[in-house]
Amino acid sequence: MRTARRVRLLAAAVAALALTACQNGTGTRDEGASLPPSAATASTPAPSGTPGGDTGTGTATGGGGSSAAPVSGTATRTPKSNGNGNGGGSGSGSAAVLCNGSNTAVTVQPLSRPLNHMLITVRNTGTRTCHLTYYPVLRFDEMQWVPRPAEETHPQAVTTLAPGESGYAGVLLSAADGSGDGGTTGRRLTVAFQGTTPNSDGGASATPSLPAKGMYYDSSLQVTYWQQDRGDALDW
C-alpha cells in the first residue's frame, strides 16, 4: 500500500517537471527577451566631458557633458596687441607718448633771416616715438601772458618724432616795423608742452639756454604750430 502511494507521488512530480519545461517550447525557462546590442548602447548615458552621441571631426575636452558642437581640431588664436594699437604685429610693444621736457632736448637759435625770428628745435632723446601737439607755450622770465599761435601754420597732421628725430617751431620775437609795444629783453625762457587737448598739461617743461645778451621781444611775440620740417617753421 505504501509502495503504491510513493509511486503515485513520484509520477505527479515527474509530470509537474515536464509541464514546467514545456512552457517556452525549448526546454528552458523564459527569463524575458534580451535587449539588442544597439538598443543597449543607446540607453547608456554618454561619459562626462564628451558630446552625447556627436560624431564630429575632433574630440571636445572638458565641459562636463556639454552638448556643444564638435571641435574641429584647429584652434583660432586672437592676435596679441603689439602695443601701438594694432594687433598681430611684431612691434616692440611700446606705444607713442607725448613729447615734453623729460624725453627731448630743446634748443633755441636766434635768426637773422627771417628778421627778428627765433627757431625752437626739439629732438626726441627717448626710446619711444613721441607726439608734439599743438604749439609751444612760451614764457620769458615772469611774463604774464601767452604768445598767440599763427593759425596759418596749423599742420595737417600731428608732428611725430621717432627716437633721434627733431621737430621745429618758429617764433616772431618783435615787429620789424617797430609797431610792437612793451619791448624788453628776456633772460630766461620756459617752453611748455601741451597735452592731447588744447591748453592741457603735456608734461615736463624745458628751459633751453638763451644767448648771453638775452632775447629781445615785444607784444608782437608769436609762435608757429609744431612742424615736422624746419623750413615750414620759418616760412610764414
Side-chain angles (χ1 to χ4, degrees):
M1 191 69 180
R2 290 181 177 176
T3 302
R5 180 180 177 87
R6 290 176 179 173
V7 171
R8 287 196 299 272
L9 292 174
L10 181 61
V14 171
L17 290 172
L19 179 61
T20 300
C22 293
Q23 284 179 350
N24 65 357
T26 62
T28 60
R29 186 177 179 180
D30 189 356
E31 297 292 344
S34 61
L35 293 175
S38 60
T41 303
S43 65
T44 304
S48 174
T50 60
D54 286 334
T55 57
T57 58
T59 302
T61 59
S66 170
S67 59
V71 179
S72 66
T74 303
T76 301
R77 298 183 59 188
T78 301
K80 294 183 178 180
S81 172
N82 62 11
N84 61 3
N86 297 321
S90 58
S92 64
S94 297
V97 297
L98 292 173
C99 301
N100 57 43
S102 68
N103 55 15
T104 63
V106 182
T107 58
V108 296
Q109 176 186 359
L111 303 172
S112 56
R113 293 287 184 274
L115 187 64
N116 300 339
H117 276 65
M118 176 179 73
L119 178 68
I120 303 175
T121 301
V122 175
R123 182 172 60 85
N124 183 354
T125 58
T127 59
R128 302 167 69 177
T129 296
C130 69
H131 297 310
L132 282 170
T133 56
Y134 305 104
Y135 54 88
V137 178
L138 304 185
R139 185 185 186 191
F140 282 103
D141 301 322
E142 302 302 321
M143 190 169 67
Q144 299 300 310
W145 54 282
V146 177
R148 67 187 185 278
E151 291 298 335
E152 66 270 25
T153 65
H154 201 301
Q156 294 183 351
V158 175
T159 297
T160 301
L161 307 181
E165 290 185 338
S166 295
Y168 308 89
V171 181
L172 171 63
L173 294 169
S174 59
D177 58 4
S179 59
D181 298 326
T184 187
T185 298
R187 303 294 179 181
R188 184 176 185 271
L189 174 65
T190 300
V191 179
F193 298 83
Q194 299 189 59
T196 56
T197 57
N199 303 316
S200 61
D201 185 8
S205 299
T207 54
S209 298
L210 296 179
K213 65 179 182 178
M215 301 288 283
Y216 179 83
Y217 68 94
D218 62 21
S219 60
S220 303
L221 187 64
Q222 192 175 17
V223 300
T224 69
Y225 282 79
W226 291 114
Q227 305 293 326
Q228 203 82 43
D229 184 80
R230 184 179 187 273
D232 293 335
L234 298 176
D235 187 19
W236 61 289

